[in-house]
Amino acid sequence: MVKLAIDGGTPVRTAPFAAWPIYGEEELAQLKEVLESGKWGGAGGPAKPGYESKLALMERRFAELQGAQHAVSVVNGTVAITVALQAAGLKPGDEVIVPPYTFIATASAALAYGVIPVFADVEEDTLLIDPDRIEPLITPRTKAIIAVHIAGAPADMTRLKQVARKHGLVLIEDSAQAVGAAWEGQGVGSIGDIGTFSLQSSKNLNAGEGGILTTNNRDYWENAWSICNVGRIPNGGWYQHERFGQNYRMTEFQAAIVLAQMTRLEEQMRKREANARLLDEQLAELKEIRLLRRDERITRHAYHLYLFKLAPEFADRVDKKDFVRKVNAEGIPLSEGYVPLNRNKSILDMIEMWTGERRVYDCPVCERACAKEAMWLTQNVLLSDEQAIYDVAEALRKVIRSYD
């Protein structure tokens, strides 16, 4: 019988996986240009003659990348969601339907503005929001849907658009993990009414911190721009504050890093996709593992995470935490993944504060996935060499065999 590393055996892998972030001369050159320009902030200030704002250039290029007409940079992806709700006209007390299998910011960003998240369960085989669970949750207070492209896989935007249009709801795409992803050839963030992205340090396009909104609706763009620029209006006077807003601006330094990182994005996406296919082939042979279904309409998967599940019968006889610990000991950075937001105390406390009632949301698919089945590898694992992918598969095989 094989001896696991956690019990003193030899780990499958001792070599490191690909380092993150990746940087080089491009980043240094862009940062030097900003430093010498004299224009460091996101608004105002002098610059050397001939200097083009990195923020303005980054916003244009990012909009082009996702196929959107407009983009607005913000301090982070969480604020991007809050601003998107404000720009679309939601008000405190309105409701937005969100999935429970996502980072807490999807819900907390709404609550920060007094918008109440209502949780619609996810699909069993994708862990993306289930369009069929949305309509029963719609009330007169419902004003929007947030579709989360979890792990970099676009949600079913065709069905979600149908539901949103039928009920007159704003459709927001939380694309924090999905830079470069596409649904039926169209970039995420340009399919619904507004898209939001994160540029936080773990993301595939990384500025340390930062975020960006995209939209094809000029009114939403102007609203978002104004909200992020202390209520000013595009091309207005410096002290012409026509809306209530805050200072949510990024810096020129962050935009410079994004521009440099964008030169690496396509090559990195191709490598992640190739290694994800290879890992799919390896894991498909294991009856104890279930790969997530990739909808044929997903024309580009960003693979911010490589997400998979333990098969139900296997998950019922092993402890998920124990399984992950054993794989970790084999040198593989496997993560347990999210907890269900519909059961998160801080979220439920905030909902109660805003509404005066303790709400209960039933999301059994998400809850089981979080407790027993779902787990992931981060994107830098997929940037490693092919041997790293074979090592991941071998470590999973080894740990699975130990339960026999």
Side-chain angles (χ1 to χ4, degrees):
M1 184 175 178
V2 65
K3 188 174 185 179
L4 296 179
I6 202 169
D7 297 323
T10 302
V12 170
R13 185 175 179 86
T14 56
F17 290 88
W20 187 260
I22 297 170
Y23 66 93
E25 292 301 320
E26 295 90 343
E27 285 78 7
L28 293 171
Q30 290 276 359
L31 289 169
K32 184 174 184 289
E33 189 176 345
V34 174
L35 186 67
E36 295 175 345
S37 74
K39 180 175 172 56
W40 297 359
K48 289 197 316 186
Y51 176 79
E52 180 179 10
S53 165
K54 300 294 184 185
L55 279 164
L57 179 59
M58 185 273 286
E59 288 172 348
R60 288 201 304 274
R61 289 187 178 172
F62 193 93
E64 291 169 1
L65 174 68
Q66 299 303 137
Q69 295 177 23
H70 310 287
V72 180
S73 54
V74 295
V75 291
N76 55 57
T78 304
V79 166
I81 297 170
T82 306
V83 172
L85 293 167
Q86 292 176 274
L90 274 76
K91 297 177 176 59
D94 289 341
E95 294 179 347
V96 57
I97 296 176
V98 304
Y101 193 78
T102 179
F103 183 57
I104 194 170
T106 307
S108 64
L111 285 163
Y113 183 54
V115 174
I116 311 305
V118 175
F119 294 101
D121 207 355
V122 294
E123 296 173 324
E124 178 78 44
D125 55 357
T126 69
L127 297 182
L128 297 162
I129 192 169
D130 186 342
D132 292 334
R133 302 293 185 101
I134 292 174
E135 286 193 275
L137 300 174
I138 295 173
T139 72
R141 290 185 177 274
T142 309
K143 297 298 187 295
I145 301 166
I146 297 180
V148 181
H149 304 313
I150 206 71
D156 187 344
M157 292 304 295
T158 303
R159 283 279 291 116
L160 291 168
K161 283 182 71 173
Q162 291 170 351
V163 174
R165 300 298 173 259
K166 177 181 176 181
H167 295 277
L169 305 177
V170 176
L171 181 55
I172 295 171
E173 300 177 68
D174 180 347
S175 311
Q177 300 179 357
V179 170
W183 176 264
E184 295 188 321
Q186 187 172 357
V188 300
S190 70
I191 307 169
D193 295 295
I194 306 179
T196 67
F197 296 82
S198 172
L199 303 171
Q200 179 264 346
S201 56
S202 72
K203 299 303 188 293
N204 298 17
L205 192 62
N206 163 29
E209 289 289 354
I212 196 159
L213 293 88
T214 53
T215 184
N216 294 322
N217 184 310
R218 184 172 179 83
D219 289 338
Y220 290 166
W221 168 74
E222 288 191 356
N223 290 345
W225 190 95
S226 182
I227 291 164
C228 294
N229 284 276
V230 206
R232 298 184 178 97
I233 61 172
N235 302 314
W238 184 248
Y239 293 116
Q240 186 180 351
H241 305 278
E242 297 194 5
R243 297 182 178 89
F244 180 81
Q246 299 287 332
N247 179 358
Y248 292 141
R249 294 187 297 265
M250 284 174 60
T251 68
E252 289 280 300
F253 291 105
Q254 291 167 286
I257 293 174
V258 174
L259 287 167
Q261 293 279 295
M262 287 177 78
T263 66
R264 309 171 188 280
L265 182 63
E266 179 61 27
E267 180 183 355
Q268 290 173 350
M269 288 194 70
R270 290 181 180 178
K271 188 163 189 176
R272 289 189 194 96
E273 289 175 300
N275 277 337
R277 286 193 296 271
L278 178 59
L279 190 51
D280 281 348
E281 293 170 3
Q282 296 292 307
L283 300 189
E285 302 171 356
L286 302 175
K287 69 179 188 310
E288 294 86 356
I289 285 177
R290 291 286 183 272
L291 302 180
L292 297 189
R293 174 176 61 86
R294 175 168 171 161
D295 194 298
E296 62 183 10
R297 293 167 292 181
I298 295 176
T299 44
R300 202 94 197 254
H301 192 311
Y303 284 109
H304 175 62
L305 304 169
Y306 183 89
L307 183 56
F308 64 94
K309 296 168 68 177
L310 299 182
E313 59 276 10
F314 183 66
D316 282 337
R317 67 183 182 88
V318 305
D319 178 79
K320 178 179 166 180
K321 290 182 181 294
D322 180 68
F323 183 88
V324 170
R325 280 195 301 269
K326 288 175 177 175
V327 175
N328 291 162
E330 299 297 333
I332 309 301
L334 186 65
S335 170
E336 296 177 41
Y338 293 128
V339 297
L341 287 190
N342 61 300
R343 300 295 183 188
N344 181 274
K345 182 179 183 300
S346 66
I347 295 298
L348 297 177
D349 286 348
M350 283 296 291
I351 291 173
E352 185 174 8
M353 187 192 81
W354 283 110
T355 66
E357 59 179 320
R358 193 71 174 181
R359 296 191 176 183
V360 176
Y361 301 96
D362 186 30
C363 300
V365 175
C366 173
E367 290 171 30
R368 177 177 171 85
C370 292
K372 301 182 73 66
E373 297 177 348
M375 50 194 67
W376 69 51
L377 299 159
T378 52
Q379 54 88 10
N380 66 299
V381 172
L382 297 179
L383 290 179
S384 304
D385 58 18
E386 285 191 1
Q387 184 58 51
I389 304 305
Y390 290 119
D391 288 345
V392 169
E394 178 54 32
L396 289 168
R397 289 190 201 97
K398 181 180 178 183
V399 172
I400 287 169
R401 288 196 299 269
S402 75
Y403 287 100
D404 291 337

